[in-house]
Structure formats: structure tokens, C-alpha cells
Amino acid sequence: RGWTENELTRVHSIDTRRWEVEVASEGADLQSFTVRQLKLLIEDEHGLEAETQVIRVAGRMLEDKEVLLSCGISNGSTVLLGLLGSKASKKPSIDDLTRRGG
């Protein structure tokens, strides 16, 4: 796409998929771009519902309102993406198993 190394945030999902997301293309920079905005960008580009995404950096789960730069995410950083709930996984949730008696 023509972006440089310092305009990327790398996203690694737990199932070993890896993506690079260009924050600069959204007209923002890391000083104002929030975790929620990153989740929405991942949803737009990869179809994973923002509500099911969990983003972690250095083992810490980030809150939607946090700004990327304040979380230690700088140009070229890598974050870990996990998914919650039955919408995000084909495995049944604990609630699903309980309801079915399984």
C-alpha cells in the first residue's frame, strides 16, 4: 500500500494470523488514536466485530478509551488480538454449555 515502517501497527491474533494496520490512513496519529478506533479499523479491514476484540500489550488488556501512544504503542509496535464470546469462536461458551446441559 505504500506506507512506511513508522506508520504501521502490527496485530497478531491468538490463532497466529498477522496483520499490519495503517493508522495514518485514518487521518489520525498515535497521539490521538484510541484502542476503540483500532478495533473498528480491524473490524473494517478483517471483519472481526470490535465488541469481540481484546487487545493486549505487554500482557495488559487495553480499554477502548485509552490512546495508543499512552499504552506504549508507538510506530511499528506489535499488539496481541484476542476474541471473546461465541460470535468470535466456533467453540461454545460456558453459558452455551450450561444452557444445553453440556
Side-chain angles (χ1 to χ4, degrees):
R1 293 187 182 190
W3 54 75
T4 64
E5 179 71 17
N6 61 358
E7 295 173 321
L8 296 176
T9 297
R10 290 181 180 81
V11 179
H12 292 200
S13 68
I14 292 176
D15 66 358
T16 69
R17 288 181 283 177
R18 296 169 190 244
W19 303 304
E20 292 180 341
V21 178
E22 185 181 11
V23 172
S25 69
E26 298 301 306
D29 60 30
L30 295 177
Q31 293 179 355
S32 62
F33 210 75
T34 65
V35 172
R36 176 71 179 166
Q37 288 173 292
L38 178 59
K39 288 179 177 182
L40 291 171
L41 187 57
I42 293 168
E43 181 177 48
D44 287 346
E45 291 187 10
H46 301 285
L48 302 172
E49 292 181 35
E51 290 74 25
T52 66
Q53 297 176 35
V54 175
I55 296 183
R56 293 182 181 269
V57 171
R60 184 174 77 83
M61 187 169 75
L62 305 181
E63 295 183 32
D64 285 354
K65 64 183 177 187
E66 293 183 85
V67 174
L68 296 184
L69 194 60
S70 70
C71 299
I73 301 171
S74 58
N75 294 328
S77 290
T78 298
V79 300
L80 180 65
L81 172 67
L83 299 174
L84 296 173
S86 57
K87 290 181 184 176
S89 171
K90 295 196 188 288
K91 294 180 183 177
S93 69
I94 296 293
D95 290 338
D96 291 338
L97 293 173
T98 302
R99 278 192 293 258
R100 287 189 242 157

